[in-house]
Amino acid sequence: MKIALMDSGIGLLAAATAVRRLRPDADLVLSSDPDGMPWGPRTPADLTERALSVARAAAALRPDALIVACNTATVHALDTLRAELEPAIPVIGTVPAIKPAAAAGGRVAIWATPATTGSAYQRGLIRDFANGVRVTEVPCPGLADAVEAADGAAVADAVAAAAALTPADVTDVVLGCTHYELVESPIKAALAARTGRAELVYHGSAEAVAVQALRRLGSRPEPALPRTGGLTVLRSGREGSLPAAALGYAEGRLLAGEGARVG
């Protein structure tokens, strides 16, 4: 089994680690776009072209499925990617976990990039899955860039700013950008200080998209299998190494420990 994941940068690490944990035998292809990042400020048409290029590079290695491990790319490019690659390669998008967050009926905060916050796409998910639930959309300017650079000080500043915009009575927090799952610990610490409570429930997407990819392949999680899966890294279409910033996160260190080059 070979599963490819794509993103502009290292936001795909969380989903890649989830796939690795669920299927240690799967070969992984990580396809990113250091030449074109960040994707967020690009026009939808420009972003779609960049995403197509990254997806085509991954598709050339004949994966069994492709995970679009980026919320912004899912919003703007998923239909185009599916039109080109399916049915030969199932394409799985990443959707903010608004539905499970709203299910308990508490107060929900959705942390997302400024481009996604307030978008018709996110508002549609809120309308469809959180009707009647109190939802606050929290823009997190600079957080994805800080995570990408593994800049701890910048991460702390961006997290503090977003925490200040989060209602103190929040019960559930949706991490609506794949990069944010890499810094869940500082987010938890900041919101515990903000709310005075440590028992908030956090909702990411990595596990869900990994399970969905396996489901699309007619497979299932088998975490007890031997860890025999390989790893290929593509950077703007060129085979290369994990970026050094990846080692700033447990997910990157796990993948680097499989023999992936870092540079």
Side-chain angles (χ1 to χ4, degrees):
M1 181 189 301
K2 181 185 292 185
I3 296 178
L5 302 97
M6 60 170 284
D7 184 23
S8 60
I10 62 175
L12 49 67
L13 290 176
T17 303
V19 174
R20 172 61 75 233
R21 183 174 61 254
L22 296 176
R23 287 301 298 250
D25 61 323
D27 291 330
L28 301 181
V29 177
L30 310 186
S31 187
S32 62
D33 187 27
D35 293 354
M37 69 166 62
W39 284 353
R42 293 182 177 274
T43 65
D46 192 20
L47 187 154
T48 297
E49 284 303 312
R50 299 301 308 188
L52 271 172
S53 178
V54 169
R56 287 167 178 159
L61 298 184
R62 301 183 180 277
D64 298 297
L66 172 66
I67 293 173
V68 184
C70 174
N71 295 88
T72 303
T74 298
V75 170
H76 296 297
L78 184 62
D79 289 344
T80 301
L81 294 173
R82 282 178 168 165
E84 174 158 326
L85 298 178
E86 291 189 339
I89 302 174
V91 180
I92 297 90
T94 299
V95 177
I98 295 171
K99 184 177 181 179
R107 178 152 193 178
V108 177
I110 305 171
W111 283 35
T113 64
T116 300
T117 300
S119 67
Y121 168 77
Q122 183 160 288
R123 292 282 168 85
L125 292 174
I126 294 170
R127 181 189 63 247
D128 294 342
F129 300 121
N131 190 27
V133 175
R134 292 183 299 165
V135 176
T136 300
E137 297 177 273
V138 179
C140 305
L143 180 53
D145 291 340
V147 174
E148 184 69 33
D151 185 335
V155 166
D157 288 344
V159 166
L165 299 175
T166 303
D169 61 347
V170 69
T171 60
D172 294 76
V173 180
V174 176
L175 301 179
C177 171
T178 55
H179 280 73
Y180 301 173
E181 295 186 57
L182 300 177
V183 291
E184 187 170 332
S185 291
I187 291 173
K188 286 182 174 179
L191 287 177
R194 162 74 171 158
T195 64
R197 292 173 289 117
E199 69 276 10
L200 304 184
V201 182
Y202 291 83
H203 303 268
S205 57
E207 187 89 4
V209 296
V211 170
Q212 177 64 6
L214 294 177
R215 185 179 297 119
R216 288 287 303 273
L217 294 175
S219 189
R220 60 187 178 85
E222 295 191 61
L225 289 174
R227 184 172 291 178
T228 56
L231 179 68
T232 301
V233 177
L234 300 174
R235 303 183 70 180
S236 296
R238 304 177 297 272
E239 188 165 347
S241 55
L242 286 172
L247 295 184
Y249 306 102
E251 295 85 350
R253 292 191 293 273
L254 182 147
L255 296 171
E258 298 179 348
R261 289 184 293 138
V262 179

